[in-house]
Amino acid sequence: MVTSTTPKLDRRPKRSADREPRRIGFGQRLGRWDVKVSPYLYISPFFILFAIVGLFPLLYTAYVSMHKWHLIGGQGEFVGLENFAYVLQQPFFWKALRNTFSIFLLSSVPQVFIAITIAAVLDANLRAKTFWRMGVLLPFVVAPVAVSLIFGKLFADDSGMINAILGGVGIEPIRWHADVLASHVAISSMVNFRWIGYNTLIFLAAMQAVPRELYEAAILDGAGRLRQFFSVTVPLLRPTIIFVVVTSTIGGLQIFDEPRLFDQTGQGGGDRQWMTVTMYLYEVGWGSQKSFGRAAAIAWILFVIILIIGLINFSITRRIASDSAPKSGRKQKR
């Protein structure tokens, strides 16, 4: 028996080894580059501006601090860390550092508590809310020179209004421009006058973001106004409080305008009893020494101090944030 076999046809398309890969068009390639590059282009203005006005001056200041650099004579020889050693050996630097921290503590600590209190009052149902809120911000708009001149007259040793009021109630006049602590209190009052309103509006914005349902639930539980403030408002203001504390720390350690304008000489007192670090920097760089190298060394020491305090604030911030985060219970495996 003869059987005929017919070959089966392979209907699958044959792959050609010589087929050329599909070319990507210019439009598709441009679209891919747009997706990859455009986000970096959008954020590049900030980094370019920061590099020009922030990073470059910082690095250039470090370069200047390593040289003998006179205001008139210009760049001198390389001296390494000699400028830093000179600054750290000067009694005026340590006195200025003490004054800076003293004024910072006397201004920033009361500033936060007073700002929260005023913000809580403005958050309540008051008539003419907009008027009071604008009035709180008004001292921040006033120029520091005007504030310093006004407070300089208020805290004058002989003819100041503060001493006149104290004398009227039988208290001896205070030497605001001679005593160390008195001068620090007077300068701190100027700082608080300018910045309490600014921080009040920040706290007020955070308070208005608190859900009102939480207050209604607290009222149903029988909580009064004071209990609502400490149990509802303050815990939810924790990130805002941390932000204000950090910014106040940075600004307080760089204070210059108020102590500089507290008297007519602008040297920080006869014994430098209220001279700050920035005032000492100005005196070294543009005063009798005219040494940019030593002034740059002071600037870098102040930068390191602010950086250390900023890292401490950052660690405290992380700890507070971790403590306030809700802890989810772990499921036990049976």
Side-chain angles (χ1 to χ4, degrees):
M1 185 176 179
V2 179
T3 59
S4 61
T5 59
T6 58
K8 296 181 179 180
L9 298 176
D10 190 3
R11 300 180 180 278
R12 292 178 298 178
K14 296 182 179 180
R15 297 180 180 178
S16 176
D18 299 334
R19 175 183 290 181
E20 297 181 357
R22 184 179 179 181
R23 295 182 179 179
I24 300 177
F26 177 75
Q28 295 179 349
R29 187 176 302 173
L30 185 62
R32 292 183 179 180
W33 277 102
D34 181 44
V35 173
K36 294 180 180 180
V37 178
S38 59
Y40 299 98
L41 293 178
Y42 293 146
I43 64 175
S44 60
F46 167 76
F47 291 99
I48 294 174
L49 187 64
F50 173 75
I52 295 174
V53 303
L55 187 60
F56 172 74
L58 184 66
L59 298 177
Y60 189 71
T61 303
Y63 174 78
V64 174
S65 65
M66 300 290 182
H67 295 77
K68 283 187 177 180
W69 203 296
H70 196 266
L71 176 62
I72 300 175
Q75 180 180 355
E77 60 181 0
F78 178 81
V79 294
L81 300 178
E82 180 180 336
N83 290 327
F84 292 90
Y86 174 84
V87 171
L88 294 176
Q89 293 174 0
Q90 298 303 309
F92 276 167
F93 171 76
W94 295 105
K95 183 178 290 187
L97 189 63
R98 180 208 64 183
N99 297 336
T100 301
F101 275 96
S102 176
I103 296 173
F104 157 69
L105 293 175
L106 290 174
S107 59
S108 298
V109 175
Q111 188 180 128
V112 175
F113 291 102
I114 297 174
I116 293 178
T117 304
I118 298 176
V121 174
L122 293 177
D123 192 40
N125 293 325
L126 295 176
R127 293 182 179 180
K129 290 183 179 180
T130 305
F131 171 77
W132 293 112
R133 293 170 184 175
M134 292 178 61
V136 168
L137 190 61
L138 185 61
F140 178 73
V141 182
V142 180
V145 177
V147 175
S148 301
L149 291 176
I150 293 172
F151 275 79
K153 297 298 181 181
L154 290 176
F155 289 99
D157 295 342
D158 298 328
S159 59
M161 189 177 69
I162 304 298
N163 279 340
I165 296 174
L166 294 177
V169 296
I171 301 177
E172 293 292 331
I174 299 175
R175 302 188 304 170
W176 299 106
H177 290 76
D179 296 338
V180 177
L181 183 59
S183 62
H184 293 180
V185 171
I187 295 173
S188 301
S189 64
M190 289 190 282
V191 178
N192 290 331
F193 176 79
R194 289 193 61 223
W195 290 97
I196 283 178
Y198 175 81
N199 292 327
T200 297
L201 290 186
I202 295 178
F203 285 126
L204 179 60
M207 288 180 183
Q208 291 182 342
V210 176
R212 298 300 165 181
E213 294 81 4
L214 298 178
Y215 293 109
E216 295 175 359
I219 293 173
L220 293 176
D221 291 338
R225 299 283 299 181
L226 193 62
R227 183 66 176 175
Q228 294 175 31
F229 178 75
F230 285 104
S231 299
V232 179
T233 306
V234 173
L236 295 177
L237 286 181
R238 190 172 298 171
T240 308
I241 294 174
I242 295 171
F243 169 77
V244 172
V245 169
V246 172
T247 54
S248 299
T249 301
I250 297 174
L253 295 178
Q254 296 177 346
I255 184 172
F256 178 80
D257 296 337
E258 290 81 1
R260 173 74 177 176
L261 300 172
F262 187 56
D263 64 351
Q264 296 180 356
T265 60
Q267 296 181 354
D271 195 26
R272 304 296 193 271
Q273 59 267 25
W274 69 80
M275 181 180 64
T276 60
V277 176
T278 52
M279 291 179 63
Y280 181 62
L281 185 154
Y282 181 84
E283 181 178 342
V284 171
W286 285 267
S288 58
Q289 299 186 28
K290 294 182 175 56
S291 176
F292 274 9
R294 294 171 181 174
I298 298 172
W300 255 90
I301 293 173
L302 181 61
F303 168 74
V304 172
I305 293 173
I306 295 176
L307 183 62
I308 292 174
I309 297 178
L311 292 176
I312 294 174
N313 287 331
F314 177 73
S315 62
I316 296 175
T317 302
R318 290 188 58 185
R319 182 174 301 178
I320 293 175
S322 61
D323 293 340
S324 61
K327 297 180 180 180
S328 58
R330 296 180 179 178
K331 297 182 180 180
Q332 297 181 354
K333 296 182 180 180
R334 296 183 178 178

